[in-house]
Amino acid sequence: MAAKGAGNFKFKAEIRQLLEILVHSLYSNKEIFLRELVSNASDALDKIRFRQLAGEEVLSPDTELDIHVSTDKDANILTVTDTGIGMTRDELVENIGTIAHSGTADFVRQAQEAKDKSQLDSVIGQFGVGFYSVFMVADEVIVTTRSATAPDESWVWKSNGEGTFTITPGAEDAPRGTTIEVHLKDDAKEYADPDRLKRIIERHSNFISHPIFVGEDRVNTVEALWREPKFSIKQEQYDEFYKFLTFDSEGPADVIHTSADAPIQFNALLFVPSKSMDLLGGYQGQHGLDLYVRRVLIQHENKDILPEYLGFLRGVVDSEDLPLNISRETLQENVLLRKISQSVVKHVLSHLKKKAENEPEKYAEFWKEHGKIFKLGYSDFAHREDFAELLRFETPAMPELTSLASYVERFKEGQKDIYYVTLSSRDAAQTNPHLEIFRKKGVEVLFLYEPIDEFVMDSLAVYKEHRMVSVELADLAWLDELPDENKSDDDSTKPEAMTEEQEKTFTGLLERIKEILGERVTEVRVSKRLKDSPVCLVSPDSHMTSGMQKIMRMMSKDESIPPKAMEVNPDSPLIRNLLEIYQKDSQDDYINLASEQLYEAALLQEGYLTDPHGLVSRIQDHLTRSSSWYKGR
């Protein structure tokens, strides 16, 4: 006569369909079955610890709370044992198939609709297959359990995953907790290898709070620091954890340890690497954060928690509120994860602002290593103000990096705009013709060196009611009214003002230069910005800088040279010499030679000259002529 409660049972129709899919699938990530079994065991241990803390009586209260994984390689058996809460007969029937309560029908439908293996992989990950995932590797599963709260009986659940299961009484002396005995399929013998199991546990379950043993060896020896209070952790522990996480030989430059309870509970431990990982210089610094749910790894290097411009950060985020069996596809659409992301970004930006205010030297080191990636934040309109405050720039006036706020504090009287210039290097500022009037008037300019800087300035547009203005597009009338602060070395040799006759002749010279250069320039005009250089090229489009224009033409693969306006400095000694030559002979060939040379030299400074052969040839012609004049002095 069968014992009370024992018997043969059939799985529900949906569960039978589920098992059919799992047993016959080619799911590539089969190892997650062990993650599921260990997670269930950890939950069982948490439950009994909670009851003990609440003062409830439980079976064998002095038993250690741990998880043991053992193997029999000869018999091809894997066993997972916990000393947790255990289950009664009714709980065994109810709880071992929790998937039956949420999502089974949807899982089956989508799995059946999957057209290939890659689709099946994502579908399986989208629902909580939980315990049933063991049938991907098992011919038979035997569960022996004894409840810690109803200790009179133990029970044995057994199934081959083919539609039925049996429940029979277990041994009277069975210990508290649950043992799952997995009889492995022939193609799953690798899971009877202790070393293979250790690697899987280290990958997915390394930070479970309860000890996990494989044989006699404890596997999860690294503490989940993010769950510990900050005041109790030493820097050495942070350094050790960072190196364990990233395999970096150096410790982190900075640590961001934060947690939140509302609107969603999570803990985060983030690190700023000492060196940039963007080795190729292509803004490829985003690694992503390891996402945990209750200390169980759900996704390695999740790239949805942090925006790209904070992707240099390494670390972990752990939440109690996310479902354990959430897939990558579901994560991208999960409202809770978006809330976690918003909160983490807010904490990171707040931390960086405090670092910039309180430790400017260390922040400058951070900017040197990670500023290039951080600039990608120009598109984060939700945090535009915080982003702007954290930007740093070089200027001719400051030996150290400056913020926009600091730059505004040094405004000249009457200054309203923030001026910037795009340069190839700091040395290039000395020969940039657009900076001459700013240098002479003592107006500070921000130096930009990267193409992305153009997008940063264009996107910000305004900082605290001050417009971002390229030096090319500056209000020259306002600048001209300012008194000179820096006199040029050539001021003593500045030519006298032109006579009325010379001014008329100068107009003719400008027309002659335009005739020579033709459609390559839109016009040739007198310059108000130049103080030393003879000429410069200016974009005729007053709404786009030369730097942005080059970027847009590169994106459209337009390699032609755009027509520019040429501005001529009437006080340049070279231009005065050309004026005298023009006065004697307006068709003198030297004017042609000089006009072409000045135009291509200006193109070279602007970064547009791709074929220097004509320039080099004319330079040699100039040198030949000038050397003849020089030797005959």
Side-chain angles (χ1 to χ4, degrees):
M1 183 175 179
K4 183 180 179 181
N8 296 315
F9 304 86
K10 287 186 177 181
F11 289 113
K12 293 180 180 180
E14 292 174 352
I15 298 298
R16 288 200 299 272
Q17 289 178 287
L18 166 65
L19 291 171
E20 178 72 16
I21 292 169
L22 290 175
V23 169
H24 297 289
S25 76
L26 297 176
Y27 186 42
S28 60
N29 195 24
K30 292 182 178 181
E31 68 181 37
I32 60 99
F33 85 91
L34 185 57
R35 182 195 75 178
E36 296 295 326
L37 298 184
V38 170
S39 296
N40 290 342
S42 177
D43 288 343
L45 293 170
D46 287 338
K47 288 175 181 177
I48 196 167
R49 180 167 59 181
F50 177 79
R51 296 205 177 202
Q52 286 181 296
L53 291 173
E56 295 184 26
E57 291 187 6
V58 297
L59 178 66
S60 306
D62 297 328
T63 302
E64 293 289 337
L65 301 181
D66 53 27
I67 302 168
H68 283 266
V69 180
S70 60
T71 62
D72 183 338
K73 297 184 72 171
D74 295 332
N76 209 25
I77 294 175
L78 162 67
T79 304
V80 178
T81 301
D82 70 72
T83 56
I85 194 70
M87 289 176 280
T88 63
R89 185 263 183 201
D90 291 341
E91 289 171 339
L92 183 62
V93 174
E94 178 75 10
N95 295 335
I96 203 167
T98 52
I99 183 142
H101 301 290
S102 60
T104 309
D106 288 337
F107 173 87
V108 171
R109 178 179 54 79
Q110 292 196 30
Q112 290 174 336
E113 292 174 356
K115 296 179 180 179
D116 56 40
K117 174 180 174 292
S118 62
Q119 285 182 309
L120 183 59
D121 285 358
S122 64
V123 170
I124 287 175
Q126 195 169 343
F127 297 92
V129 296
F131 169 80
Y132 288 114
S133 63
V134 73
F135 285 104
M136 292 190 294
V137 299
D139 279 329
E140 183 179 53
V141 178
I142 302 172
V143 179
T144 302
T145 185
R146 185 172 188 176
S147 173
T149 57
D152 294 339
E153 298 174 316
S154 67
W155 294 93
V156 178
W157 181 99
K158 184 184 297 186
S159 177
N160 60 8
E162 295 183 357
T164 63
F165 60 91
T166 63
I167 295 180
T168 57
E172 293 182 1
D173 60 348
R176 181 194 79 194
T178 301
T179 296
I180 301 176
E181 186 177 291
V182 183
H183 293 252
L184 297 165
K185 297 178 180 180
D186 288 339
D187 63 356
K189 290 181 178 180
E190 62 183 293
Y191 300 112
D193 180 359
D195 291 334
R196 177 80 167 98
L197 300 180
K198 288 178 182 178
R199 291 194 296 271
I200 295 172
I201 292 170
E202 287 174 350
R203 184 180 302 115
H204 295 286
S205 309
N206 204 40
F207 300 106
I208 292 289
S209 58
H210 305 287
I212 305 173
F213 294 89
V214 175
E216 299 298 322
D217 300 328
R218 179 172 178 178
V219 181
N220 58 334
T221 57
V222 180
E223 190 175 5
L225 283 187
W226 64 84
R227 302 293 290 255
E228 303 299 321
K230 287 188 289 186
F231 64 82
S232 67
I233 303 175
K234 298 180 180 179
Q235 185 60 45
E236 292 78 9
Q237 292 175 278
Y238 283 131
D239 291 349
E240 181 182 358
F241 184 85
Y242 170 76
K243 292 177 182 178
F244 164 81
L245 185 71
T246 63
F247 303 103
D248 194 343
S249 59
E250 295 185 40
D254 202 3
V255 179
I256 305 174
H257 190 171
T258 186
S259 62
D261 293 319
I264 181 172
Q265 187 279 330
F266 72 88
N267 295 281
L269 179 55
L270 313 178
F271 299 95
V272 179
S274 298
K275 300 295 181 183
S276 171
M277 302 299 178
D278 183 25
L279 302 178
L280 300 179
Y283 302 97
Q284 301 298 315
Q286 187 173 24
H287 295 277
L289 302 178
D290 289 346
L291 177 62
Y292 286 78
V293 174
R294 298 187 291 278
R295 293 188 175 89
V296 177
L297 179 65
I298 298 303
Q299 188 178 0
H300 178 54
E301 295 189 348
N302 176 287
K303 292 180 171 59
D304 298 319
I305 300 174
L306 289 177
E308 189 177 14
Y309 71 100
L310 297 178
F312 54 85
L313 290 166
R314 309 294 298 274
V316 302
V317 172
D318 186 3
S319 175
E320 298 281 341
D321 296 338
L322 287 170
L324 184 61
N325 294 292
I326 192 166
S327 74
R328 182 175 304 171
E329 289 75 18
T330 310
L331 277 172
Q332 293 172 345
E333 302 172 357
N334 191 277
V335 174
L336 296 179
L337 188 68
R338 287 201 294 269
K339 290 181 178 179
I340 290 175
S341 173
Q342 292 167 2
S343 184
V344 171
V345 170
K346 182 178 179 181
H347 278 90
V348 170
L349 295 178
S350 176
H351 177 90
L352 292 176
K353 286 178 68 175
K354 290 178 182 177
K355 177 70 66 175
E357 293 169 3
N358 302 328
E359 300 178 88
E361 292 182 359
K362 288 188 177 181
Y363 185 78
E365 293 174 5
F366 156 80
W367 186 260
K368 177 183 176 182
E369 294 297 329
H370 305 292
K372 184 175 180 179
I373 298 296
F374 186 83
K375 290 175 187 176
L376 291 171
Y378 71 84
S379 59
D380 185 358
F381 298 105
H383 301 96
R384 180 193 296 263
E385 292 184 8
D386 291 333
F387 172 76
E389 295 293 351
L390 290 167
L391 291 171
R392 292 296 182 270
F393 303 89
E394 287 187 24
T395 77
M398 299 295 291
E400 66 275 354
L401 294 172
T402 187
S403 65
L404 291 174
S406 180
Y407 173 89
V408 169
E409 289 177 357
R410 298 191 298 274
F411 265 7
K412 298 283 291 183
E413 185 176 353
Q415 183 176 349
K416 296 179 180 179
D417 297 329
I418 296 172
Y419 298 106
Y420 65 88
V421 62
T422 300
L423 304 165
S424 59
S425 67
R426 188 177 182 89
D427 291 339
Q430 300 302 315
T431 57
N432 187 293
H434 297 287
L435 289 176
E436 291 176 6
I437 188 171
F438 289 87
R439 190 161 45 241
K440 197 173 188 69
K441 302 297 182 178
V443 176
E444 194 173 0
V445 176
L446 304 177
F447 290 170
L448 313 183
Y449 301 122
E450 301 285 343
I452 193 175
D453 294 333
E454 290 277 354
F455 291 100
V456 171
M457 292 310 201
D458 190 59
S459 177
L460 284 180
V462 175
Y463 171 76
K464 294 185 177 179
E465 300 182 354
H466 302 294
R467 294 186 308 144
M468 305 289 186
V469 178
S470 168
V471 293
E472 299 176 55
L473 310 178
D475 180 0
L476 298 180
W478 175 79
L479 286 166
D480 205 42
E481 291 175 1
L482 290 175
D484 293 350
E485 285 193 10
N486 300 309
K487 294 187 177 294
S488 169
D489 294 337
D490 295 330
D491 278 355
S492 59
T493 59
K494 182 178 179 179
E496 296 180 358
M498 288 185 184
T499 63
E500 185 176 341
E501 181 180 352
Q502 284 178 317
E503 288 182 354
K504 292 180 180 179
T505 307
F506 188 71
T507 301
L509 174 62
L510 297 183
E511 292 174 351
R512 177 73 180 120
I513 295 174
K514 173 66 173 77
E515 179 185 341
I516 293 168
L517 298 179
E519 294 183 356
R520 287 175 290 175
V521 294
T522 57
E523 64 175 315
V524 180
R525 65 194 184 208
V526 176
S527 177
K528 295 182 179 180
R529 75 182 74 236
L530 296 176
K531 300 301 175 185
D532 301 312
S533 300
V535 301
C536 72
L537 296 176
V538 179
S539 175
D541 183 353
S542 61
H543 301 292
M544 185 178 292
T545 67
S546 296
M548 182 61 77
Q549 190 178 59
K550 280 187 282 188
I551 293 171
M552 300 306 291
R553 295 173 76 85
M554 283 175 53
M555 292 173 65
S556 62
K557 298 183 179 180
D558 184 354
E559 298 180 358
S560 63
I561 299 174
K564 299 264 189 175
M566 175 181 275
E567 292 192 355
V568 179
N569 178 9
D571 292 333
S572 164
L574 172 55
I575 298 301
R576 286 297 179 95
N577 290 340
L578 283 180
L579 180 60
E580 288 189 31
I581 295 171
Y582 179 80
Q583 285 176 316
K584 294 177 181 178
D585 182 0
S586 63
Q587 300 299 313
D588 193 300
D589 183 60
Y590 189 81
I591 298 176
N592 292 51
L593 181 68
S595 297
E596 293 285 354
Q597 187 71 15
L598 288 171
Y599 171 71
E600 291 202 352
L603 283 181
L604 184 63
Q605 284 186 311
E606 293 284 325
Y608 282 109
L609 188 65
T610 56
D611 185 2
H613 293 90
L615 179 69
V616 172
S617 177
R618 284 188 295 275
I619 289 175
Q620 292 172 346
D621 189 8
H622 277 295
L623 288 173
T624 300
R625 296 188 188 192
S626 62
S627 61
S628 298
W629 300 330
Y630 185 80
K631 72 177 184 179
R633 289 185 306 165

